[in-house]
Every structure is written in C-alpha cells, then in structure tokens.
Amino acid sequence: MTSFVRRTLLATTVLASATIGFSAAHAEDTAPAAATTTAAADEQDNPTSVGTGARDRGADIVVTARRRQESSQEVPLAISVVGGEHIDSTGSFNVGRLQQLTPTLQYYSSNPRNTAVNIRGLGVPFGLTNDGIEQGVGIYVDDVYNSRVASATFDFLDVAQVEVLRGPQGTLYGKNTTAGAINITTNQPTFDFEGKAEVSIGNYNFKQAKAAISGPLTDNLAARIAVSSTSRKGTIYNVTTGEHIQSQDNLGLRGQLLWKPTDTIDVTLAGDFSNQDANCCGSVYVRTGATQRAINRQFAALAAAQGYAPPSLNAFDRLTDLDTDLRAKNKIGGASLRVKWELGEGTLTSITAWRFWDWDPSNDRDFTGLPIVALSQNPSQQDQYTQELRYNYSSDKIDFVVGAFGFYQRIDTQGTEAQGAAASRWSINPGSVAAVPPGSSGCGPSASNQLACDPTVLDGLVAYNTQYLKNTSAALYGQLSWHITPELTLQPGVRLNYDKKEGYYQRRVFDGQGNELLLGLPSYTARQSAQLAIYTPQEISPTFSDWNFSYDFTASYKVAPDVLLYATYAKSFKSGGINQNGVPVDGSNNPILATATVKPESVHHYEAGIKTQFWDRKATLNVSIFRTDIANYQANVNNGQYGVLRGYLANAGAVRSQGVEADFSVRPSERFNAYVNGAYTDATYRKFTDAPCPPELSGGTTVTSTTTVSPAGTPGGISPENCDISGQRLPGVSKFSFSFGAEVNAPAKLLGKEGEVYFGYDGSVRSNFSSNPSPSAYTWIDGYSLHNFRAGFRTESGFDVYGWVRNAFDQNYFEQLMVGPGNTGLIAGLPGDPRTWGFTIKSAF
C-alpha cells in the first residue's frame, strides 16, 4: 500500500514549493489584488442549509443549481446545501458519509465499481454495475460531468460546498439526472494569498492530512494546489490471510490556474488525480435461510460435506475467511478548461473536459473460505470527453440559459473468472440417493452423478471476458425564467437528446486442462455439460440509438419577501441501454438477443413546495411534496448461478416514488445553531410481474401449468419461474429518514489566543429497508441511528483543534446484505463502521 508518511512528505514538498513561488509572486505585486469572480469564492463563507458553516445570520446561501449564482431560497426546487466547513467537521469526506446529513440521499457500495447513489430511492438499479446503462443521479464537479458513479467513492478534495438537487434535473443537467444531481464546487484560485492545512488521527490507525494553498503568480494569473491523503486499518479481520480488510488508502491531488486577461474573461485550467489502493473489498457471514433447493444442496449441508464452518456466526465479530486475494485499485482523474466571458448582461461559458478511470479489482464471489470461485476480476479502463457551451442571460423581466452538450465515452474491460477445487462438490448435484444423511454431499458409490465427487471437473475451469462500450451523446437545451410580476415567475425548459451505444461482449471458456469449450458441437460429454452449466461461451455485439425530448415547467410565486411557493411538472427520461455483461441463453445455449437492449425509462414528475425564512431570517423552513412515476424502469436481474450470468438488465413495468421532505434550520444567535431534516419516501414497484424471485422462492423445480408453487422456504419444493413483486418496496429505501444536529459555543481564551470553545452533535435515523432487488425475508436491514459528537477550540484567524467521536454508541448495523450465489440460502453482509474517534487540528492563513 502507498505509505501515508511518503504521501504526506510529498504533499508537504509540493505545498512548500508552491508557497515559495506564491510568496515571491505576491511580493512583486504592485497592483491591488483582483477579486475572483468564481462561484466558489463567493460561496465559501456563506452559511449552509445543512449544518453549521459560517456564523452570519440571515446571509444568503449562494448556489448554482440553475447554472447561475443566486440564493438557494430563490430557486424553486428541493435542494440541500452542505458547506465545506461542515463537511470537514463531521468527517463527511465522501458522498457515502454525506448521506448521514441528507436524508433523501442513498449510497450503497460493495466496492468502488459496484456503487449506487440514489435520491428518493431512484437512480441506478440495485446490484452489480452494468456499464451499458446510465446512472440516474448526475455527479458534477466544477461543471464537469462524471459519468461513472465510482467518482462518488473518492475523498472530497478542497470542496467549497455540495448541492444535492432532488428530483429530475434533465433540462440543465441532462439525461443522467432523472432522480437528481450532486453539484460539487471546489475552492477556486484567488488573487489574495491564502492557505490551509489539516491533520487528523484516530483509532484503527486513522490518519488524514489535507492542505491547500492559493495566490497570485502575476497580476492576472492565480493558482491553487490542494492535496488530501487518508489511510485507515480495515474494520474486518480475515482469519485466512491474517489481514484487516475494508481499509482506506486514498490520495487526491488537484491543481488549478486562473487567468484573467481582462475584467470580463476568466479562463480556468484544472487537473486532478485520485488513487485508492485499499485492502478491499469483502464481506462477513450473516445468516442462512431456507430456499427451495433439495435439503442436501443448501448451505448447511454443502458446508458440512466439505468440513467447512464460517469463522463466526455473529456478523459483528467482524471476522471473515475469504480465500481469494482482494484488490480494489482505483484511479480517476482528468483535466478541464473552463472559459467564462461576460457579454453585456449575459455570460458565455465553455467547459471542455477529459476524464479517465482505471479499475483493477479482485473479489471473492462465493463469500466463503472455500475455493469455489477461485478468481473473479473485471479490470476496466475508461476515457470520457465532454464539451459544453452555454449562454446565461439575466434582466429584470427574463433570465434564460441556452446551451449544447456533447459526450463520448470508451470503456474496455478484461474479465477473468475461475473455479476452484471445492467447486464440483458445491455446484454439481450428485443426484438423488436413498436416505442421504444430514451433512452429507451425497458422494459415494450410490451417487447417481459421480461428477460431483470429482474435483477436477470444475477445478481450473476459467472464463475470459472481453468487452468494450462506445457511448456517444449530444444535446441542445434551454430554460427560461419569465418574471411576469415581481412575485410571479414562469419557468419552462426543454432538452433534445441523441444517444448511441455500441457494445461488444465475448466470453471464452477453457477447462482445467486448457481445452476450449465451444458451442454448436453435435454432442457433449457429461463432464463438458457440467462445465458449460457453470460458464457458457457467448459473443454478442449489442447496439442502441434513440432521440428523446424532455421538458419541464415550473411556476413560482412570492407570497411575501421571504416566502416562496412553487410547483413543477417534468417529463424526463433515462437513456436506453445495452446488456454489457452478457445476456440469458435459450435451451441450446444461444444468446437471447431480444434481451440485449433495454428500453429508455419514461419519467413523469410532479412536485410542489414552500420555502420560508422567518424570525428576522434566523430560521429557515422548506417543505416539498413529490411524486415520480417511471415506466420501463431499468432493473437489475440476477439468475442465482455462479458464472452463467451474474446479472443483466431488464425493464420493469413501472415504479413510483412519492413522499414529503422538510428541512429546518435555526440560528438565534452566534452562540447556537441547529437543524432538522426529514423525509418520508414511499418508493414501490407499481408493476413488475416477471421479476427474479427472492431466495426463499428459488432453487426448486420450476413450476409448470399443472403444478402448484410450494410455500416459501420448502426444501425440494416447486419454484415459480419468476415472481410478481408489484406493490413491494424498492431496494435501499427507508420509509422514514432524519438527520439533525446542533452546535453551541462560548468565548474563551487558550494559549493566549482569543476564540471560542464549542460542542457539536450530528445524528441520523432511518427505518428498515430491503437489500435485495426482490424483497426477501432474509435481506431486510433493520433501522438504526447514528450519533456523532465533536468538541474543540477555534479562533477567527482559522486555527481549530477538536476531538471527535462517530457512531458514539457503537451501533451495530449493516450497510448492505447480499444473497450468495447458487440459491444455497447464504446471506453475506457489509457491517457499517463501529465507533471511531480521533483528533483534528487545522489552521488557515
């Protein structure tokens, strides 16, 4: 792993060099320092609607949700804003931790590639990632779109604020925002010399260092450099390797140059690089549940037949025995050029960007310490290019934005999956024999299928997957705000979008002796048939293209200077896609090409809300109600087998997400502030009649027209071919979720410095939620609450030292539960972080 000390020394060297250069340039400046016109510079000292940013009561929170700077209370949409100061003080250093502050944000990650970020229960299908579709929550950093959700797993780097826009944002943010958008703004270069540094240490060998420095190089050229490094020992102990897994080992770098050749032109060149090299990612044994497999083919019998037992039956002992090397090397970065030109009452903006993502994983897909799946890895390389050109205009009667957006992406993936020495006895049915004793695999002279007793049948069986995706998109868009009166504004918006996806998928299969298994032969031996049941060769070249037109209309009315009413209707879509990981096969093992493409989602969204400030703007209360209906919802389908097809995409009939959200904050004085945010979300499948069945209804003989489905969990029972889950809850969504917190401070003097002591608290509560695409009795995660505290001393000059504890009451909870492959009844899980504590010291200059 990358050494924390080495990285910190590198950061110190870079910053020291930059300081010398900045100081020299600053000393040579004879003209007054010019003020930057970037949004982040204006925003970074403003208070936030979530948490405790600055101390000015009644100041506006400046956002860029409509691609222009304005007060968040003037924007007629549901939006949460978290300032950089509160992000740092609460330890919310990535999107995953941000969900504890924003109740309608859901984040699930078994590893960086298999990450889901949803808003109001919508966004991406729950389960293994498929590169052939779009995400439904757009992630933007300084106006640059990040097409892969893996970017959400990296540490925030020198962030000024984060805006979480709830509800479809298709007009201004594109086809990838049917559920909302996360708009991240970093601190920009300044023409005043400034810097900051922060170091944290804690239990689990937690170490984090952050630093940034900014200032002028010449009269019209400024630069900013930022670095972040995070490391922590893993929270799960692997008894097989003697190592802790689920560790953190992150490094981030960002550099920016701001050139102002005139008072009306800003040119910003930015580059960034982030690296993760953690001992990750694994799981622990949670439980088993009865399926409809034969009793000797369920987990308890299969494990006993090979003398296997999990290292602990208590998931919160945090022990695992995974026997495959784990790896989650993740690199992401890129460069962008942003040009802003003030033209009269408008601004012309061009953003040109390139992003890359390199993913190098290794996983243990059988979730046990047995060598069943010996290797599972799909390294991937992505390059994306974007170009956006837009013009913003503002006047007393109208504001408008018009623009064009182009996108090209290329993804190449090279996959390897292999079976191990325990695979034959685990995956091949030895056949029915009389009076099979409990715990027996059925192997022996009386077994009707001796292949199960021969480890060489599957040991060394390997599949090599080769795939690529070319994704092209272009759009024209516009949004108008017509101020009919000072109180009444009508806001229509439109977007025309074209998509084209070209994919390729090839799977070649070889047995343990290196012989390739081919389809189309006149006949197969029993050994070959058993091998082909695990890995099936396949080659497809799916394509998709389509035009889509989306639009929205919002009416807002100011009842009073600090009371805004609004209502919105939006017709949006999420682009169709292709199954990039393979498709199901028919009885002759031929790919079913009708399943190669996935229809676009069609979205109808309705929302109404009120935004208010009162008590001399010391208090803010925003409330919204919403309903989102989606037809042809893109759902992830898993077939329960080890290697035949881990998952593919299909269209569910319809889903609906509806609910109520409220955000309240109060700051009666500079000595106290508090906030409470809450959401009720009812997100369900409205129609999904051919969904994959949950494990308790899977694994038995498939039902026919003359048979009756057995009750759930009946060993050796009759299973339906698919299940009707209409009316059931979408995965990952809690009906009720809340976040709340407060901070109190008092004047104090420490080490001769005038300042204030403070005590802060942040908490969150969520009710239970399903952790499987088809709700299962075995994968409901109980609701839980988390409580974080901090206390310290700070000065107006930027010095701050404090201690912190997160998950203070050591709540045991799961972030995610996963159904083991093969319908054996195994349930594995990812426990959330235990209690962590530490100390932070930071300084600004």
Side-chain angles (χ1 to χ4, degrees), residues 367-601:
F367 303 143
T368 73
L370 287 170
I372 302 169
V373 179
L375 188 64
S376 178
Q377 57 188 39
N378 286 276
S380 180
Q381 307 84 40
Q382 173 200 303
D383 283 280
Q384 72 161 64
Y385 304 87
T386 56
Q387 173 63 57
E388 184 167 10
L389 186 67
R390 65 172 181 260
Y391 181 71
N392 297 60
Y393 175 86
S394 296
S395 69
D396 292 338
K397 294 298 291 185
I398 63 169
D399 305 315
F400 68 81
V401 182
V402 293
F405 177 78
F407 169 85
Y408 176 77
Q409 174 188 50
R410 168 80 187 225
I411 302 177
D412 290 278
T413 302
Q414 311 82 35
T416 306
E417 300 172 63
Q419 298 285 291
S424 294
R425 295 184 71 179
W426 193 273
S427 301
I428 301 176
N429 192 338
S432 56
V433 294
V436 175
S440 171
S441 68
C443 282
S446 59
S448 60
N449 187 359
Q450 289 293 324
L451 292 173
C453 309
D454 182 356
T456 67
V457 174
L458 296 185
D459 189 15
L461 181 71
V462 61
Y464 297 107
N465 305 325
T466 301
Q467 56 180 287
Y468 69 76
L469 171 71
K470 299 177 183 178
N471 186 1
T472 304
S473 181
L476 298 173
Y477 62 88
Q479 187 181 80
L480 170 69
S481 296
W482 180 21
H483 310 298
I484 297 177
T485 70
E487 296 78 25
L488 176 63
T489 298
L490 302 181
Q491 179 183 283
V494 295
R495 190 178 187 104
L496 178 65
N497 197 93
Y498 173 74
D499 282 297
K500 182 178 181 180
K501 294 183 174 71
E502 300 174 86
Y504 175 76
Y505 174 84
Q506 180 194 63
R507 167 172 283 197
R508 300 180 66 187
V509 180
F510 297 83
D511 64 18
Q513 290 72 48
N515 302 309
E516 186 169 8
L517 300 177
L518 301 173
L519 296 180
L521 299 181
S523 62
Y524 299 95
T525 66
R527 185 185 185 93
Q528 290 172 326
S529 296
Q531 293 167 341
L532 289 171
I534 301 299
Y535 295 142
T536 305
Q538 187 174 119
E539 185 171 4
I540 59 173
S541 299
T543 61
F544 172 87
S545 63
D546 195 19
W547 288 88
N548 277 99
F549 181 69
S550 56
Y551 54 90
D552 55 47
F553 183 82
T554 299
S556 59
Y557 186 77
K558 275 203 167 187
V559 179
D562 291 324
V563 180
L564 178 71
L565 300 175
Y566 67 90
T568 296
Y569 167 74
K571 170 65 175 72
S572 189
F573 79 102
K574 186 166 76 171
S575 172
I578 58 178
N579 271 305
Q580 194 62 17
N581 295 339
V583 297
V585 296
D586 59 21
S588 301
N589 283 327
N590 296 314
I592 303 174
L593 296 179
T595 64
T597 58
V598 185
K599 298 177 183 177
E601 292 183 354

Side-chain angles (χ1 to χ4, degrees), residues 527-750:
R527 185 185 185 93
Q528 290 172 326
S529 296
Q531 293 167 341
L532 289 171
I534 301 299
Y535 295 142
T536 305
Q538 187 174 119
E539 185 171 4
I540 59 173
S541 299
T543 61
F544 172 87
S545 63
D546 195 19
W547 288 88
N548 277 99
F549 181 69
S550 56
Y551 54 90
D552 55 47
F553 183 82
T554 299
S556 59
Y557 186 77
K558 275 203 167 187
V559 179
D562 291 324
V563 180
L564 178 71
L565 300 175
Y566 67 90
T568 296
Y569 167 74
K571 170 65 175 72
S572 189
F573 79 102
K574 186 166 76 171
S575 172
I578 58 178
N579 271 305
Q580 194 62 17
N581 295 339
V583 297
V585 296
D586 59 21
S588 301
N589 283 327
N590 296 314
I592 303 174
L593 296 179
T595 64
T597 58
V598 185
K599 298 177 183 177
E601 292 183 354
S602 178
V603 182
H604 293 269
H605 175 76
Y606 313 85
E607 184 159 345
I610 181 172
K611 293 190 166 187
T612 65
Q613 288 185 304
F614 51 94
W615 194 13
D616 192 25
R617 291 193 173 184
K618 298 174 184 177
T620 300
L621 174 63
N622 298 333
V623 180
S624 61
I625 59 174
F626 66 90
R627 171 182 286 187
T628 305
D629 288 302
I630 301 180
N632 293 322
Y633 179 74
Q634 295 168 356
N636 202 61
V637 177
N638 295 290
N639 68 353
Q641 298 302 311
Y642 281 108
V644 179
L645 189 66
R646 285 187 359 219
Y648 66 100
L649 290 168
N651 291 107
V655 303
R656 173 180 293 166
S657 177
Q658 58 187 359
V660 181
E661 301 165 343
D663 302 303
F664 174 74
S665 62
V666 62
R667 187 185 295 272
S669 74
E670 294 183 355
R671 301 300 172 201
F672 177 77
N673 61 78
Y675 68 94
V676 179
N677 306 319
Y680 167 77
T681 307
D682 177 26
T684 57
Y685 296 103
R686 303 306 298 166
K687 184 180 181 182
F688 198 1
T689 57
D690 56 351
C693 292
E696 57 266 38
L697 286 172
S698 302
T701 303
T702 302
V703 67
T704 67
S705 58
T706 59
T707 55
T708 302
V709 173
S710 303
T714 302
I718 305 296
S719 297
E721 186 175 2
N722 45 53
C723 287
D724 183 354
I725 61 173
S726 303
Q728 298 193 48
R729 201 188 309 176
L730 289 175
V733 187
S734 296
K735 280 197 171 182
F736 296 95
S737 55
F738 299 91
S739 63
F740 37 82
E743 185 179 289
V744 61
N745 65 73
K749 191 173 184 178
L750 180 66

